[in-house]
Amino acid sequence: MCKACDKKTFYITTPIYYPSGNPHIGHTYTTVACDSIARYKRMQGYDVMFLTGTDEHGQKIEEKAKERGITPKQYVDEIVAVFKKLWEYMNISYDRYIRTTDDYHVESVQKIFKELYDRGYIYKGEYAGKYCTPCESFWTESQLVDGKCPDCGREVIEAKEEAYFFKMTPFAERIEKLLTETDYLRPRTRATELVNNFLQPSVDENGNKTYGLEDLCVSRTSFSWGIPVTFDTKHVVYVWIDALSNYITALGYENGAYDDYKKYWPADVHMVAKDIMRFHAIIWPAMLMALEQPLPQHLAVHGWITFNGQKMSKSLGNVVDPFILGERYGVDAIRYHIMREMALGADSSFSNEIMINRINTDLANGLGNLVSRTVAMIDKYFGGTLPTDREEGDFDADLIATATALKAKVDDHVENTRLNLALEEIFKVISRANKYIDETTPWILGKDESKKARLATVLYNLLDTIRIAATLLSAFMPTTMPKVFEQIGAAEYATYENADKFGVLPLDVTVKRGEAIFPRIDVDKE
Ligand code: ME8
């Protein structure tokens, strides 16, 4: 709760992405999904903090910069500019952008590292293990798949060096409970896999529960592009303590750059894909437990956008460029498509054909057609302004009940990060409205002078249903919905508060014909 304004707060984060290559449609998915939730929450009256950013340290970046003969900072600056440009292009309403190279973050991470050391949770040891250079990940023998990196399937090398470690076992039992007994992890079905693969609980001969959870290597000496450990400067903080801390340093934890920690922490939703689930499900809670800080409410884990069955990724080079898609099909159509296709927890295979069909069926034929038919009929039969006489008839009650029940359903799905289902519900109402046109046959009513009041009622019901659907959709498709409001004469009435009420538009509403909101894509031409 914000003390100054009495509003409930809502804090949502994307992962901070590696600027080791340009962003693709996978990064776009997570960011667009968080953006839609942030917008929905703002619409509901929450004081929202939506954080995104970039994770800029590490060996891979150091190497890439070297190849190009520039400094790592110059290298990341260029790519960060592309990330920011993409988020602007995709209409992402983030409130704050953190770069792990920002001074305040560096300062906080150094303090966090020292604090964990002083509390006895970080100790010095030696690391020997299998290392995947492209993924910057150490693996144990048992985690390898056919002797190769379990994330990218490539060769690993033997590596050994002095390193600091973070003790994980003191937190294992609490983490197991967090994953299996609370609503932290979404979907919960992933808890078993995490517990078995990483916590590895077992009962010893004396009946005591033990865990096979390994300590985490948290410093490196083999490269220098990282945050130096203040009390042992040949070490740099290694990836996860640097990266995960962003969620609190961006609010001002252990730094003077911001002062929002008390207001927004703990986070309401961290959204990530399954590749970094274990870090957010196990290491992040352990770090917070060690620092004696409150734990985030929810970790929402989505699957991967795949292409020909493989994860779309920079290192595999099979990426789809969101700028190109947006130019071709429209930013909101892309936002809609990726959110509609991805079910929480499952992968979603990217295909142009599915995307075009989806855009044509739902957006052009479904919503676009509903708006243009309704507005065109009001123009044709009433010169653009409805008369105020009304006559109720068959099918009205069902349409109105369906439309007014929508908000509660969408609220529930957004609350539980099921964005595909939220969109599915909205489009059921749009289909219901299109069916209502077939049931009430306004073109026949229009031929009969004595049916004018009935015709006005039918067209009004359509407008008010569109208002409800478009209001709820405006969090997902923020560019095009204002155009819908404009056309249906709802600009001042399209509020969240009105989204479960019917009869909100004035009886003598005036519509304004405009361009097709979602033009149909010619499949053959494509
Ligand atoms: O892991 N499908 O950065 P990263 C869906 N810096 N989502 C995808 C995706 C795909 N094919 N590819 C990427 C890192 N993503 C760390 C994170 S957080 C403290 C540190 C999205 O650039 C998805 O959100 O590899 C995934 O978790 C993230 O990008 C990984 O981004």
Side-chain angles (χ1 to χ4, degrees):
M1 182 75 82
C2 167
K3 288 204 182 80
C5 64
D6 244 21
K7 271 189 184 177
K8 279 193 286 179
T9 58
F10 185 82
Y11 180 31
I12 183 164
T13 67
T14 72
I16 47 169
Y17 306 109
Y18 290 127
S20 52
N22 285 342
H24 56 72
I25 200 80
H27 307 104
T28 308
Y29 172 75
T30 319
T31 310
V32 161
C34 289
D35 180 62
S36 301
I37 297 174
R39 286 174 181 275
Y40 201 87
K41 288 284 164 182
R42 285 191 203 109
M43 198 159 79
Q44 289 181 315
Y46 284 81
D47 175 337
V48 172
M49 170 60 74
F50 168 22
L51 176 73
T52 188
T54 26
D55 185 1
E56 306 186 3
H57 295 121
Q59 190 169 7
K60 194 150 93 183
I61 303 250
E62 192 176 81
E63 282 166 3
K64 289 211 167 190
K66 208 164 164 191
E67 275 167 28
R68 292 216 9 228
I70 53 177
T71 66
K73 185 62 170 46
Q74 284 169 328
Y75 181 86
V76 292
D77 280 351
E78 277 178 22
I79 296 177
V80 169
V82 182
F83 270 90
K84 287 190 170 172
K85 195 169 136 211
L86 178 62
W87 301 153
E88 193 185 331
Y89 182 66
M90 295 305 299
N91 217 340
I92 302 300
S93 63
Y94 61 81
D95 297 293
R96 203 161 283 173
Y97 191 102
I98 185 167
R99 301 184 56 175
T100 55
T101 49
D102 288 339
D103 290 344
Y104 73 89
H105 175 78
V106 170
E107 177 195 336
S108 297
V109 167
Q110 288 178 325
K111 287 185 188 159
I112 289 169
F113 198 94
K114 180 71 168 46
E115 194 174 332
L116 293 172
Y117 181 77
D118 290 343
R119 285 173 186 252
Y121 293 122
I122 282 182
Y123 64 92
K124 197 187 245 184
E126 187 176 67
Y127 196 89
K130 309 284 180 189
Y131 186 70
C132 173
T133 314
C135 294
E136 295 182 21
S137 296
F138 266 104
W139 302 99
T140 59
E141 193 76 52
S142 64
Q143 288 168 338
L144 301 179
V145 176
D146 298 331
K148 299 200 168 125
C149 172
D151 271 358
C152 72
R154 278 178 288 202
E155 294 293 339
V156 290
I157 53 166
E158 283 290 343
K160 198 174 188 182
E161 63 182 44
E162 176 190 290
Y164 284 93
F165 287 84
F166 175 55
K167 279 186 197 162
M168 297 289 293
T169 26
F171 313 105
E173 194 174 345
R174 265 180 81 193
I175 294 170
E176 184 180 11
K177 287 207 168 99
L178 178 76
L179 299 180
T180 55
E181 293 173 17
T182 75
D183 191 24
Y184 176 62
L185 184 68
R186 288 177 173 169
R188 267 276 271 288
T189 44
R190 290 210 181 266
T192 320
E193 144 195 2
L194 279 165
V195 170
N196 292 344
N197 292 352
F198 299 107
L199 295 177
Q200 302 181 3
S202 60
V203 179
D204 66 16
E205 61 273 18
N206 304 319
N208 298 320
K209 196 162 185 182
T210 59
Y211 291 88
L213 183 59
E214 289 173 18
D215 292 349
L216 178 75
C217 177
V218 291
S219 84
R220 320 291 293 148
T221 54
S222 53
F223 62 89
S224 58
W225 179 237
I227 300 178
V229 174
T230 45
F231 52 90
D232 193 351
T233 49
K234 72 173 185 291
H235 288 258
V236 293
V237 177
Y238 175 61
V239 59
W240 291 101
I241 289 202
D242 176 359
L244 290 162
S245 302
N246 92 87
Y247 301 128
I248 54 177
T249 65
L251 299 178
Y253 183 81
E254 297 278 20
N255 68 67
Y258 296 107
D259 189 20
D260 300 312
Y261 185 67
K262 272 209 185 89
K263 182 170 168 189
Y264 292 110
W265 192 257
D268 293 273
V269 177
H270 290 312
M271 191 180 287
V272 300
K274 62 184 181 182
D275 47 349
I276 51 174
M277 169 175 69
R278 88 177 155 109
F279 303 105
H280 287 77
I282 297 176
I283 295 166
W284 183 223
M287 275 174 66
L288 289 165
M289 287 170 192
L291 294 168
E292 293 182 28
Q293 297 302 313
L295 302 183
Q297 301 288 331
H298 301 295
L299 173 66
V301 183
H302 61 79
W304 286 331
I305 295 187
T306 58
F307 199 79
N308 292 333
Q310 272 188 309
K311 181 193 175 200
M312 196 179 282
S313 85
K314 286 180 284 235
S315 42
L316 293 174
N318 58 349
V319 298
V320 171
D321 183 343
F323 285 111
I324 294 176
L325 284 187
E327 285 306 301
R328 212 134 155 190
Y329 307 114
V331 163
D332 273 359
I334 302 308
R335 286 178 61 117
Y336 175 73
H337 169 69
I338 53 185
M339 284 189 283
R340 182 68 188 76
E341 282 299 308
M342 180 78 84
L344 200 67
D347 287 347
S348 149
S349 130
F350 186 87
S351 118
N352 261 322
E353 203 181 333
I354 297 175
M355 180 180 62
I356 292 169
N357 277 334
R358 177 71 79 192
I359 294 174
N360 279 345
T361 313
D362 294 1
L363 299 183
N365 296 350
L367 177 59
N369 225 359
L370 175 65
V371 173
S372 60
R373 278 165 93 189
T374 307
V375 170
M377 286 191 283
I378 296 175
D379 255 357
K380 179 172 173 191
Y381 298 120
F382 299 110
T385 301
L386 286 181
T388 53
D389 284 350
R390 292 288 181 268
E391 184 189 324
E392 286 175 17
D394 289 344
F395 313 108
D396 296 2
D398 185 58
L399 177 73
I400 294 170
T402 312
T404 49
L406 180 62
K407 177 167 135 175
K409 291 181 189 165
V410 177
D411 281 0
D412 183 48
H413 287 313
V414 172
E415 196 59 45
N416 290 288
T417 33
R418 297 183 295 246
L419 303 185
N420 60 323
L421 298 186
L423 291 171
E424 191 178 309
E425 285 300 334
I426 299 174
F427 277 83
K428 277 188 199 160
V429 171
I430 289 162
S431 300
R432 179 69 195 84
N434 272 319
K435 189 166 152 224
Y436 178 79
I437 300 184
D438 298 337
E439 290 164 342
T440 53
T441 58
W443 56 91
I444 296 177
L445 298 173
K447 288 185 185 143
D448 184 342
E449 214 31 57
S450 69
K451 298 273 171 58
K452 283 279 154 122
R454 178 64 192 138
L455 178 61
T457 308
V458 165
L459 295 173
Y460 179 89
N461 288 346
L462 288 168
L463 286 183
D464 225 25
T465 303
I466 298 170
R467 172 190 56 81
I468 290 177
T471 302
L472 299 171
L473 272 181
S474 63
F476 302 89
M477 294 190 275
T479 316
T480 35
M481 290 311 115
K483 295 183 190 163
V484 173
F485 301 143
E486 198 61 31
Q487 294 196 15
I488 65 164
E492 340 160 24
Y493 307 96
T495 63
Y496 176 78
E497 286 66 39
N498 283 338
D500 55 358
K501 298 185 185 78
F502 213 82
V504 167
L505 293 174
L507 287 177
D508 59 349
V509 57
T510 299
V511 298
K512 195 167 144 200
R513 247 175 133 154
E515 279 173 18
I517 297 179
F518 295 106
R520 220 189 126 73
I521 299 162
D522 184 340
V523 184
D524 293 336
K525 221 166 102 192
E526 287 296 317

